[in-house]
Amino acid sequence: MKTDDLRNKFLKFFEKKSHTIWPSDSLVPQNDPTLLFTGAGMNQFKDMFLGKGNLNFKKAATCQKCLRTGDIDNVGKTASHHTFFEMLGNFSFGDYFKKETIEWAWEFLVQELKIPEERLSVSIYKDDVESYEIWEKYIGISKAKIYRYGEKDNFWPANAPLLGPNGPCGPCSEIFFDQGAKIGCGRKECEPACDCDRFVEIWNLVFTQYDRKEGGNLEPLPHKNVDTGMGLERMSRVMQGVQTNFDIDIFTPLIKCIEEITKSKYNGRIENAVLMRRIADHTKACVFCISDGVLPSNEGRGYVERRLLRRAIRDGAQLGVKDSFLYKLVPIVSDVMQEYYPDIKQRRENIARIIKNEEEKFHETLEQGTRILEELMGVLQKNKQKILPGKEAFKLYDTYGFPLDMTEAILNEKEFAVDKDGFEEELKKQRLQAKTSSQMTGEVFDTGPLSKIKDISKGSRFLGYDQCACEAMVIAIIKNDQLIDTATAGNEVTVLLDQTPFYGESGGQIGDTGVLESNGNHVQITNTKKNNDFILHIGKVIKGELKKGSTVSAKIDIQRRNCIRKNHSATHILHYALRRVIGQHAEQAGSLVTPDRLRFDFHHFSSLTKDELTRIEDLVNEKILENLPVGAKELTIQQARNAGALALFGEKYGELVRMVSTGDFSKELCGGTHVGNSGEIGLFRIASESSVAAGIRRIEAMTGMSALNKDREKESIIKEICEVMNTTEDKLITKTQEVLNELKNLHKEINRVKQKELSGKINSFIENAKEVSGVKIITRKLEDATVDDLRKTIDMLMKSSENMAIVLGTAQNNRVTIVAALSPNLVKRGLHAGNISKEVAKVVGGGGGGRPDMAQAGGQWIEKLDEALNFAIELLSKKILQLGS
């Protein structure tokens, strides 16, 4: 059975069981602090599990994209481990429980997939009598095939009763497929707990029936829930009768392509197979990360992605690949995954560009790392040491992507070694720091005031698409992270209302500001945030008091909102214009919509030309002048996609989405506020275009009065320049060129006079030079000289003698500049200009260095320049005398 068929069969099976099929949106990280993602597994249904959600169903089934790096070192080495995988699951929120879950799981496996019953066995939590009886009495599994395990293996989260974390938890029952006695350890007593790989865990049925409290107390949940997980790749492996997950239909095309690129055989050496599996896995993971809007970077999720790519690049290098190659795998990933993930195919060219760019950057980084390692070996040799400190090896690993084995191999070639214990110590520190700084807490679900509010409210009703003011009831008041009943004048608070016209910051649009008023009471709202279905009004009580349960008049700053609406609608038109002018790959990668300007990030690999920017700006203004209608309607995600709506990188979409249309040329999924007609935007002007990351460009622009005021500012500046230059606007460029030419000629004349003056001093410098052991020492201060003047003077002096040591200094703009130079034969004898300039610069409160023959330094104490030059004479004399001895 094909993987796509298995996925579809699972979802259709549960659809027939009256489950809502929940769409797979952004990647869900497994509960793994190395990822720096917010949330844990089951993140999309966490409120439903606590009975606080407001989804209109109690049963759901999903195929969820997941990313996990906690056991990354096992990827490729075992039959089952992945960083990216898909998890099939069915969920119940206070509806059905153990009996139906177990019955349906067995029905799907035995009747739908036709798996022989004798190949299946199950495990339960040792104290879960109910599950045991269901398996034995209702399903008919023999006692010999029902295994009882402890809380480490059959409780979710593992060891929760004893170790936590607090929150929903419960026993689980796992279903295993027996690959047969020929696989694994071969012992007669082999069972699912054995790690020999004979028994493949294919389905985990989690029964979240408890709420763990402090001290390990397990309180029954008011609604008992079900959360199951079936690894799609593992189940495909069983259905396709192959030995590893990497032998299934969605991996074999990737492995074959890697074989062709590396000219190596997958079924040859086991070491090659491990590398190829890892390349396939990591590349696939990165393709889905990029599709979700996560770009390679040095922090958070982007750093996890960068590390995955670099591991794959290094694996390729071990297989003999020297050039970029991972990007060639992107079309293969898109082809095998397109049925369920069509967005990958649509974006594959852009994803390939991003990966190729990252590969090229890493190859440069590797070269730099190799040079640094060579320098470190030079230091070891000089100090007569043989062991590279673990801290240095870790720095190469962490900063330059150098794996420890590569460092070891290079060191071994030169008969050096590395301090592995020191390296491991640094690695532990990093992991601890990552865990500490992770956005995830030890709690599985929300805690704090918002968790308590969810007990009494399903969220705030947003009225801001149609209204700028409304009457609302105060649901809750938060002060200093605590719920309070009354806030008085001077209190800074977060207010939750049952309904509101205030837009909470999301989708790139900044939050509204305004006021909450009632009977002489006044609360100034300075920002509005959003947390799932709750809109948080952040502000300060200016007058009177605010009470929980009271009614207030909520009013937004209308003028500010109107400016925001114009800028937000302009981003949609700009998106359309970019794709028209530079190509369909120019998809949105981020945005910020404020009252005074808009910022739009998009995928592109070079700066835009002046002509491209003009065409984009013209196209946006043309659409504005057409005064086209801007409208929004709510659709299912599939209906919106069928209508041609753009689903943006990294955005999460639910079952229903809001599609915003501008005329008939722009359709985007968007929850923001917009104008009624494009003509309301007024004027659109691009303020700047720049790079923000590899493959990401940024346009900043203004609309309406902001754009007009900016143009007026420029006009005023031009007028002022014309007055200063004593010319008119139409002749300004010509006049400016004339002045620049005149300045250029004056600089030439000044330099000519200065060089003549310096040439006249050369003989005087040489005649007054101090001579030590046949070497002429010249130290001089040159007034009003540039660095270039100092260097030219040194060049002229060097022509007069074969043995010369020179230190020249000057002071300009409250900074001292010192240049030191030595004749070639002095360098050969061991003197170093870089070291000399550094020592002299200390006198003027600075530092520097450079080449052995010439070096530059600087300092801040201009009053000590003469003292520094005197010190230079003493220093050079001493060093030259030491050469003679």
Side-chain angles (χ1 to χ4, degrees), residues 771-883:
E771 190 166 320
V772 177
S773 299
V775 178
K776 291 185 182 295
I777 301 173
I778 298 173
T779 63
R780 288 284 180 167
K781 180 168 89 173
L782 302 185
E783 300 292 346
D784 299 320
T786 64
V787 175
D788 192 47
D789 293 334
L790 299 183
R791 290 179 179 275
K792 285 179 178 178
T793 304
I794 286 171
D795 289 340
M796 287 187 281
L797 287 167
M798 283 294 182
K799 292 175 182 176
S800 65
S801 174
E802 291 183 1
N803 291 305
M804 192 168 285
I806 306 166
V807 176
L808 302 182
T810 187
Q812 278 193 333
N813 302 319
N814 293 318
R815 288 286 299 174
V816 173
T817 301
I818 291 168
V819 178
L822 300 169
S823 298
N825 59 334
L826 292 178
V827 174
K828 288 178 182 177
R829 292 169 66 188
L831 290 186
H832 196 293
N835 296 337
I836 292 165
S837 67
K838 187 187 293 184
E839 289 296 314
V840 175
K842 287 179 183 177
V843 181
V844 291
R851 303 194 316 265
D853 61 327
M854 185 180 287
Q856 181 179 325
Q860 55 188 339
W861 301 333
I862 57 175
E863 70 277 6
K864 291 196 172 186
L865 177 54
D866 289 333
E867 183 183 334
L869 293 171
N870 289 332
F871 170 73
I873 294 175
E874 295 173 11
L875 179 66
L876 287 168
S877 299
K878 182 180 177 182
K879 287 186 175 293
I880 291 165
L881 286 170
Q882 287 173 346
L883 291 177

Side-chain angles (χ1 to χ4, degrees), residues 674-845:
H674 290 270
V675 296
N677 295 281
S678 63
E680 295 175 36
I681 297 170
L683 178 65
F684 173 86
R685 294 303 305 267
I686 293 174
S688 66
E689 190 270 343
S690 59
S691 171
V692 289
I696 304 294
R697 307 296 301 178
R698 171 174 292 172
I699 281 180
E700 295 196 53
M702 286 172 279
T703 65
M705 289 304 297
S706 294
L708 184 60
N709 290 335
K710 190 67 177 177
D711 282 349
R712 283 174 176 164
E713 281 179 26
K714 289 180 180 178
E715 284 180 5
S716 178
I717 292 168
I718 290 170
K719 187 177 180 181
E720 193 174 334
I721 293 171
C722 287
E723 289 174 0
V724 171
M725 302 284 282
N726 193 26
T727 188
T728 57
E729 191 174 327
D730 59 323
K731 296 178 181 177
L732 181 59
I733 294 174
T734 305
K735 180 70 174 179
T736 303
Q737 195 61 57
E738 289 174 1
V739 172
L740 289 173
N741 288 335
E742 191 175 333
L743 280 172
K744 190 176 179 181
N745 291 332
L746 284 171
H747 278 300
K748 282 183 180 178
E749 181 61 22
I750 290 168
N751 285 331
R752 188 187 65 79
V753 172
K754 191 181 284 186
Q755 289 303 310
K756 186 177 180 181
E757 184 182 340
L758 288 171
S759 297
K761 293 179 179 179
I762 294 298
N763 290 335
S764 172
F765 289 170
I766 295 170
E767 288 172 6
N768 293 302
K770 179 178 180 179
E771 190 166 320
V772 177
S773 299
V775 178
K776 291 185 182 295
I777 301 173
I778 298 173
T779 63
R780 288 284 180 167
K781 180 168 89 173
L782 302 185
E783 300 292 346
D784 299 320
T786 64
V787 175
D788 192 47
D789 293 334
L790 299 183
R791 290 179 179 275
K792 285 179 178 178
T793 304
I794 286 171
D795 289 340
M796 287 187 281
L797 287 167
M798 283 294 182
K799 292 175 182 176
S800 65
S801 174
E802 291 183 1
N803 291 305
M804 192 168 285
I806 306 166
V807 176
L808 302 182
T810 187
Q812 278 193 333
N813 302 319
N814 293 318
R815 288 286 299 174
V816 173
T817 301
I818 291 168
V819 178
L822 300 169
S823 298
N825 59 334
L826 292 178
V827 174
K828 288 178 182 177
R829 292 169 66 188
L831 290 186
H832 196 293
N835 296 337
I836 292 165
S837 67
K838 187 187 293 184
E839 289 296 314
V840 175
K842 287 179 183 177
V843 181
V844 291

Side-chain angles (χ1 to χ4, degrees), residues 432-451:
L432 181 63
Q433 186 178 3
K435 188 172 184 178
T436 304
S437 63
S438 170
Q439 296 173 15
M440 291 189 295
T441 66
E443 306 295 327
V444 181
F445 293 98
D446 281 339
T447 57
L450 202 57
S451 175

Side-chain angles (χ1 to χ4, degrees), residues 564-610:
I564 292 171
R565 292 191 308 132
K566 290 173 183 178
N567 284 337
H568 202 151
S569 295
T571 63
H572 286 217
I573 303 175
L574 172 60
H575 195 186
Y576 157 78
L578 280 163
R579 287 161 63 87
R580 275 284 305 275
V581 173
I582 61 175
Q584 294 298 304
H585 67 277
E587 288 190 316
Q588 180 175 336
S591 69
L592 177 65
V593 180
T594 68
D596 56 341
R597 64 176 46 222
L598 64 93
R599 191 177 76 201
F600 192 85
D601 297 344
F602 58 98
H603 293 270
H604 194 55
F605 278 83
S606 61
S607 59
L608 300 187
T609 65
K610 185 179 177 182

Side-chain angles (χ1 to χ4, degrees), residues 2-28:
K2 291 182 179 179
T3 302
D4 285 337
D5 294 338
L6 174 60
R7 187 194 295 111
N8 292 333
K9 200 173 192 68
F10 178 90
L11 296 175
K12 286 177 181 176
F13 175 82
F14 280 99
E15 191 172 26
K16 289 177 183 176
K17 304 291 184 186
S18 302
H19 286 61
T20 296
I21 305 305
W22 191 254
S24 174
D25 295 320
S26 293
L27 282 166
V28 170

Side-chain angles (χ1 to χ4, degrees), residues 461-468 500-503 512 556 561 673:
R461 185 179 168 213
F462 178 62
L463 306 176
Y465 292 134
D466 307 307
Q467 300 178 34
C468 295
T500 179
F502 284 77
Y503 182 87
D512 280 326
I556 66 168
R561 163 74 79 79
T673 60

Side-chain angles (χ1 to χ4, degrees), residues 65-199:
K65 299 174 290 184
C66 301
L67 187 69
R68 176 178 180 153
T69 61
D71 46 12
I72 190 173
D73 290 334
N74 290 325
V75 175
K77 297 176 182 177
T78 70
S80 304
H81 280 91
H82 296 287
T83 51
F84 171 85
F85 56 95
E86 294 177 77
M87 186 66 73
L88 301 170
N90 58 292
F91 304 85
S92 169
F93 316 114
D95 191 273
Y96 61 86
F97 200 47
K98 293 181 181 179
K99 186 173 181 294
E100 296 91 335
T101 303
I102 291 172
E103 285 178 342
W104 288 339
W106 194 255
E107 180 185 344
F108 181 73
L109 294 173
V110 175
Q111 296 181 27
E112 293 291 322
L113 300 185
K114 310 296 183 188
I115 297 176
E117 292 185 29
E118 62 270 17
R119 303 289 294 273
L120 299 173
S121 55
V122 301
S123 68
I124 61 162
Y125 178 54
K126 60 184 177 65
D127 298 330
D128 188 359
V129 177
E130 185 181 359
S131 291
Y132 184 91
E133 290 182 350
I134 294 169
W135 280 118
E136 185 196 9
K137 294 180 181 179
Y138 289 94
I139 304 303
I141 292 185
S142 67
K143 292 181 180 180
K145 288 200 170 187
I146 304 175
Y147 298 87
R148 294 176 181 268
Y149 297 130
E151 61 187 53
K152 179 183 177 182
D153 295 308
N154 275 78
F155 211 92
W156 187 92
N159 292 313
L162 182 65
L163 303 176
N166 293 334
C169 61
C172 59
S173 180
E174 296 177 326
I175 304 175
F176 296 87
F177 176 80
D178 185 357
Q179 297 191 91
K182 293 181 180 179
I183 304 295
C185 62
R187 295 181 301 119
K188 286 184 179 181
E189 63 272 23
C190 184
E191 61 176 74
C194 183
D195 59 4
C196 71
D197 214 31
R198 171 179 170 176
F199 292 90

